[in-house]
Amino acid sequence: MADATVERRPRLSLGRLRFSDDTEASFSDYYFEQSLPFTRLAIVLAILLYALFGILDLFIVPDVVSQIWLIRYAIFCPAALLVLRLTFTRWFKPIIQPTLSALAVLCGLGIVAMIAIADASGGFLYYAGLLLVIPWLYSVLRLRFWYATAAAVMIVAGYEVVAIWLKQTPLEILLNNNFFFLSSTIIGMVAGYTIERGIRTDFLQRHLIEAQREELAAHNVHLDSALQRTLDEVRRQAAEIQASRT
């Protein structure tokens, strides 16, 4: 029985984060249920930090603070609040991954826009915010690995465009920033892959346990039926023997 269950068990090959179609659909439901509380926490955390960092704007870029605050309080925070509200509706489940991916891109490109608006010294400081966004979208937000990677690539591309062509960042600073930025992205990718693979492995274990439980229940029903037939046969033979003696 156990061998037959193992043969039918869905498998997760190394380096591939996908099951067969039927199993993948079941996993998507499982992933949604497991991730939703963390996703809501991640959105609330992003709103709080994005808003609180506005205090630093007064000291770092006082001359363009109104434009920076427009990005913080008129674009990202309302969008994040809208997504947070959407998580409590039935419409969120089918669109969770593209919606969260878009929110992550908005979060990162919002900081890239701040870099573009700020003067040179202020822009160099705002780049550090991107080092917070990458691990946030890979681990806390609970984006699936490939959605998170797509969002990270768009954020990195946006930064490169601004840093190279718009701000003309000095080469040594650009190399330094890219070293840390890309290192943060690589660490985020490893973390995101590890988290999703761990959740998929847990799903497989639960799937196997449930399959074994169902087989055991079916086996017990079969044994009960066989035992009942045996008891009925014994009673019938006992009745015949009793009848022959009278």
Side-chain angles (χ1 to χ4, degrees):
M1 180 182 68
D3 293 340
T5 302
V6 172
E7 287 298 324
R8 295 195 302 271
R9 175 185 176 182
R11 298 187 181 277
L12 182 61
S13 59
L14 183 63
R16 188 170 185 267
L17 294 174
R18 187 168 183 82
F19 300 118
S20 61
D21 291 341
D22 292 340
T23 307
E24 185 67 22
S26 299
F27 171 75
S28 295
D29 294 337
Y30 176 79
Y31 192 91
F32 176 80
E33 295 171 1
Q34 295 292 316
S35 302
L36 189 58
F38 296 98
T39 295
R40 289 170 177 159
L41 175 62
I43 295 173
V44 171
L45 180 64
I47 293 171
L48 290 176
L49 292 179
Y50 224 82
L52 288 175
F53 270 90
I55 299 173
L56 293 178
D57 298 334
L58 293 170
F59 303 97
I60 297 175
V61 285
D63 52 331
V64 292
V65 69
S66 59
Q67 299 175 55
I68 300 293
W69 280 6
L70 181 68
I71 297 172
R72 291 189 187 278
Y73 305 122
I75 298 177
F76 177 76
C77 286
L81 285 170
L82 180 62
V83 174
L84 181 63
R85 175 66 183 88
L86 188 62
T87 65
F88 293 93
T89 69
R90 66 179 184 275
W91 299 293
F92 185 61
K93 185 176 181 179
I95 60 172
I96 177 172
Q97 292 301 314
T99 301
L100 294 180
S101 183
L103 181 65
V105 171
L106 180 63
C107 180
L109 292 185
I111 296 176
V112 171
M114 296 178 198
I115 295 173
I117 293 171
D119 57 26
S121 60
F124 298 156
L125 295 175
Y126 276 104
Y127 131 86
L130 296 175
L131 301 180
L132 301 178
V133 174
I134 297 300
W136 170 77
L137 69 88
Y138 269 109
S139 57
V140 188
L141 192 58
R142 289 300 178 91
L143 269 173
R144 300 274 284 273
F145 177 78
W146 291 114
Y147 278 97
T149 300
V153 167
M154 284 188 274
I155 294 171
V156 170
Y159 171 75
E160 297 300 333
V161 169
V162 169
I164 296 174
W165 284 285
L166 186 60
K167 303 299 288 186
Q168 297 180 347
T169 306
L171 181 60
E172 63 275 12
I173 296 178
L174 181 65
L175 291 175
N176 176 81
N177 289 358
N178 272 301
F179 183 86
F180 284 100
F181 195 16
L182 294 177
S183 296
S184 175
T185 302
I186 292 171
I187 293 173
M189 292 178 69
V190 173
Y193 177 86
T194 302
I195 290 171
E196 183 172 341
R197 188 171 182 85
I199 295 175
R200 286 179 178 272
T201 301
D202 180 69
F203 170 77
L204 284 180
Q205 294 296 329
R206 291 173 181 267
H207 187 279
L208 177 60
I209 292 171
E210 184 61 30
Q212 290 178 336
R213 184 183 293 115
E214 290 176 357
E215 286 200 8
L216 182 59
H219 186 62
N220 288 339
V221 169
H222 177 73
L223 288 178
D224 289 342
S225 298
L227 179 59
Q228 187 62 45
R229 287 195 300 270
T230 301
L231 290 175
D232 291 341
E233 181 64 21
V234 169
R235 292 192 187 100
R236 185 185 63 79
Q237 292 178 0
E240 290 177 354
I241 293 172
Q242 184 67 27
S244 65
R245 291 178 178 177
T246 56

